[in-house]
Amino acid sequence: MKKLTTILSLLILMTFISYLGWRSVEHEVLLRENNETLLAKSHMNNIKLSIESLLNQRLSYLNSLALQIDNDYGKAEDLLETETDFKNIFIINKNRILFLSDSDDSQWHNLVESIALDNSVLINQQDYSEQFQPSSGWYQIYNHLIYWTIQSDNIIGFEFSNIKFSFDVISLLDTYDSDDNFKLSDGDKQIYSNGEKFDNEISLRLNYPLQNWHLTYYYSSPNLVNLYLLGSGVIGLFFIVLLGFIGYGYREYTRTLRLAKQQVSFVGQVSHEFKTPLTNISLYSEMLSECLEDEPDPVPDYLHIISAESKRLTRLVQNVLTFNKPSRLNIKQVNLTILIKQIYQTFKPILEAKSLQLNITTLENDCIVDTDEDSVMQILNNFLSNAEKYAFNGKRIDLSLTRKGKLVTITVRDYGDGIASHLLKQIFEPFYRVNSSITEGVSGTGIGLTIAKQLASQIHGEIKVMNHNPGMAFSLILME
């Protein structure tokens, strides 16, 4: 079931990563397409501005000509013969036509007469505010394009030559050195074309008075095949790397698991070999106690400790042999006050031999708890053994029994170098040993605290570990 869950989790993770990767590729595709469109609009706008600037360049010249013919109408005829940018001129003063070229052209004549009757048509064709009255501008009707300007009280108008202006635009675009693909047309009539047509196109209309002119710009779609291939390759490479890490992690996990099983097997075999000599030690210590029971103190006491410890060690070996199985419990009323004192008497000479001072703090009254005596002793012996091995430079160990309400706490506090806070949870894992200076040269299998935690769980207790300055404290908490 766990393997199936892991496989499904990996599949979901890989699907999610694939989705994110593909969405990133699509975002890049849209970004490139948008950039191509923006670039095309920028080029088209440059062409539009070039055409409109060509028209605006005529304005200053036409204004200077209007000043010349304002009071000299005869000069207007001369300009018509020499200038090619415009083909007709009119001069209007209020509602009177003072000068009109090509009066035989009835359409042109009627157009100028309508302007003379109502001068406001020149202004109304463009968007001007009521507060602003222009003194010049463009006027377009039918196929007539007129630039007008007010000089003194006269309105002077020049009819632009569309053909001449179109040729000027063509000349301008011929000198426009670019790889742009576009088409310029006046209504349905094409004026200019450059490059080739593509599927993508954008169009715009030029500003007044060239509002009938349309500029169509063609551009090709970006080459997205390479982008898709690159995106797919990156996603594929990521999957290869991810699978490589997963394979490496799985290999390390199986290697660690295999090593742990070998260690458990080794410890079990060694423990099995311990059973016979321990049985003999226990037997002969009991025989020796019977023979020397009349000896003066402390000989009987020492023999009693030897006998009790050999029996306890036999039970510990049995627990190691059944490491992955629950220990057999013998729940009964245990006087923790007496038990703590027994443990103190057992470890005091051992610790004093290593220049370690063992201090005991217990309750004045008896503390009775329903629990398994061997399990409690094994847990506390593990705490004290670890303090002896890893905190000997602290020169002091405190063993205390406290009670708060119905909670009974037995604590072993040392004054050594301690363990980093982020490693406190890992020290209860099977075969884990802290890699630091405190473990150098100290033998151990790394299963003592694991067994202690299992035993505490079986007797419905709890182990807590806490850093102090200096040293650290291991506590067994039981319910009274």
Side-chain angles (χ1 to χ4, degrees):
M1 187 64 182
K2 290 184 178 180
K3 289 185 177 180
L4 180 61
T5 304
T6 303
I7 293 173
L8 289 176
S9 301
L10 289 175
L11 288 176
I12 294 173
L13 176 63
M14 294 175 72
T15 302
F16 180 69
I17 293 173
S18 299
Y19 173 76
L20 291 181
W22 196 252
R23 290 292 294 174
S24 299
V25 172
E26 289 182 340
H27 178 267
E28 183 63 24
V29 168
L30 292 175
L31 185 62
R32 292 195 180 188
E33 290 178 343
N34 186 57
N35 289 339
E36 288 289 334
T37 303
L38 292 177
L39 184 62
K41 288 182 178 180
S42 176
H43 289 180
M44 185 173 62
N45 192 56
N46 291 336
I47 298 173
K48 170 180 174 288
L49 293 176
S50 299
I51 296 173
E52 292 175 345
S53 64
L54 182 64
L55 182 64
N56 294 329
Q57 288 173 8
R58 305 289 195 275
L59 301 185
S60 58
Y61 178 60
L62 293 177
N63 286 328
S64 64
L65 293 180
L67 288 173
Q68 296 179 25
I69 64 176
D70 184 25
N71 297 315
D72 188 356
Y73 305 148
K75 197 167 184 178
E77 293 287 353
D78 297 334
L79 290 175
L80 288 171
E81 294 178 359
T82 57
E83 296 293 334
T84 58
D85 285 340
F86 51 89
K87 58 182 181 180
N88 282 311
I89 300 176
F90 68 80
I91 302 175
I92 298 174
N93 184 273
K94 296 183 180 178
N95 300 111
R96 293 186 304 115
I97 300 176
L98 301 180
F99 177 81
L100 178 63
S101 64
D102 197 8
S103 59
D104 295 333
D105 186 346
S106 59
Q107 188 184 43
W108 169 247
H109 186 270
N110 293 334
L111 173 62
V112 175
E113 278 190 341
S114 65
I115 296 173
L117 290 174
D118 184 10
N119 301 158
S120 63
V121 298
L122 300 176
I123 300 174
N124 293 339
Q125 195 166 7
Q126 298 188 60
D127 295 330
Y128 295 113
S129 63
E130 295 181 357
Q131 293 80 12
F132 176 72
Q133 296 295 323
S135 59
S136 62
W138 293 99
Y139 177 72
Q140 186 181 44
I141 187 170
Y142 306 119
N143 61 340
H144 299 283
L145 178 61
I146 299 171
Y147 176 74
W148 58 272
T149 180
I150 299 175
Q151 301 293 335
S152 302
D153 291 331
N154 297 328
I155 300 177
I156 302 174
F158 301 90
E159 183 186 10
F160 240 71
S161 174
N162 286 328
I163 297 176
K164 175 62 171 57
F165 182 69
S166 297
F167 279 118
D168 290 342
V169 170
I170 293 172
S171 299
L172 171 67
L173 296 178
D174 281 337
T175 60
Y176 196 76
D177 185 19
S178 71
D179 296 328
D180 295 318
N181 307 283
F182 63 93
K183 179 184 71 174
L184 180 65
S185 58
D186 183 2
D188 297 332
K189 181 177 64 177
Q190 180 173 301
I191 299 175
Y192 187 82
S193 178
N194 184 68
E196 56 183 316
K197 293 184 179 180
F198 293 99
D199 294 336
N200 299 320
E201 65 176 57
I202 49 177
S203 300
L204 61 78
R205 179 181 296 180
L206 273 66
N207 294 334
Y208 186 87
L210 302 177
Q211 70 273 13
N212 292 327
W213 287 32
H214 288 82
L215 182 62
T216 304
Y217 193 94
Y218 304 96
Y219 63 98
S220 61
S221 299
N223 186 4
L224 303 177
V225 176
N226 293 334
L227 182 61
Y228 279 114
L229 290 176
L230 178 62
S232 301
V234 171
I235 294 174
L237 180 62
F238 178 80
F239 278 140
I240 292 174
V241 174
L242 178 62
L243 291 175
F245 276 113
I246 293 173
Y248 175 77
Y250 180 75
R251 186 182 65 182
E252 288 297 309
Y253 169 76
T254 54
R255 186 183 68 84
T256 305
L257 183 62
R258 185 173 61 253
L259 181 61
K261 289 181 178 179
Q262 292 174 352
Q263 290 175 331
V264 170
S265 177
F266 173 75
V267 171
Q269 292 175 4
V270 172
S271 300
H272 187 271
E273 295 297 324
F274 285 167
K275 292 180 67 177
T276 301
L278 284 174
T279 302
N280 293 333
I281 292 174
S282 178
L283 177 61
Y284 283 102
S285 63
E286 290 178 0
M287 293 173 60
L288 193 60
S289 297
E290 293 178 359
C291 296
L292 300 178
E293 61 180 351
D294 295 331
E295 290 292 322
D297 292 336
V299 173
D301 294 336
Y302 289 166
L303 290 174
H304 176 71
I305 292 175
I306 293 173
S307 179
E309 287 299 302
S310 62
K311 291 178 181 179
R312 190 175 65 84
L313 188 55
T314 301
R315 292 192 295 269
L316 293 180
V317 169
Q318 186 62 37
N319 287 340
V320 173
L321 290 174
T322 58
F323 177 61
N324 292 321
K325 301 178 183 179
S327 302
R328 294 181 180 178
L329 300 181
N330 181 22
I331 303 299
K332 61 180 181 179
Q333 288 190 342
V334 178
N335 190 331
L336 294 181
T337 304
I338 297 175
L339 182 63
I340 293 299
K341 292 179 180 179
Q342 291 177 354
I343 294 174
Y344 170 77
Q345 293 296 333
T346 302
F347 273 88
K348 182 179 179 182
I350 299 174
L351 296 177
E352 287 180 349
K354 293 189 175 183
S355 301
L356 283 169
Q357 179 183 351
L358 179 61
N359 302 318
I360 184 172
T361 303
T362 186
L363 300 174
E364 295 181 358
N365 302 324
D366 291 340
C367 180
I368 310 298
V369 175
D370 289 335
T371 186
D372 180 67
E373 184 177 1
D374 286 343
S375 297
V376 174
M377 289 187 65
Q378 185 172 347
I379 294 170
L380 298 179
N381 288 342
N382 180 269
F383 292 168
L384 288 166
S385 296
N386 286 341
E388 172 199 347
K389 291 190 290 186
Y390 304 119
F392 60 90
N393 57 343
K395 302 300 182 183
R396 174 184 170 186
I397 299 173
D398 294 337
L399 175 62
S400 62
L401 172 64
T402 58
R403 178 168 47 195
K404 186 176 182 181
K406 291 188 176 182
L407 292 181
V408 178
T409 303
I410 307 172
T411 302
V412 175
R413 159 78 191 280
D414 65 62
Y415 294 83
D417 296 331
I419 300 174
S421 298
H422 66 278
L423 298 176
L424 294 182
K425 289 185 178 180
Q426 299 182 46
I427 60 177
F428 292 97
E429 296 178 2
F431 307 107
Y432 178 83
R433 300 192 70 203
V434 178
N435 186 16
S436 67
S437 58
I438 64 173
T439 59
E440 291 181 1
V442 180
S443 60
T445 61
I447 63 171
L449 288 176
T450 306
I451 296 175
K453 187 174 182 181
Q454 291 177 353
L455 292 174
S457 177
Q458 291 173 26
I459 61 176
H460 305 292
E462 182 183 2
I463 292 178
K464 285 191 177 180
V465 56
M466 184 179 299
N467 269 321
H468 289 273
N469 187 19
M472 58 193 310
F474 287 84
S475 298
L476 171 62
I477 302 174
L478 300 172
M479 181 71 69
E480 189 174 13

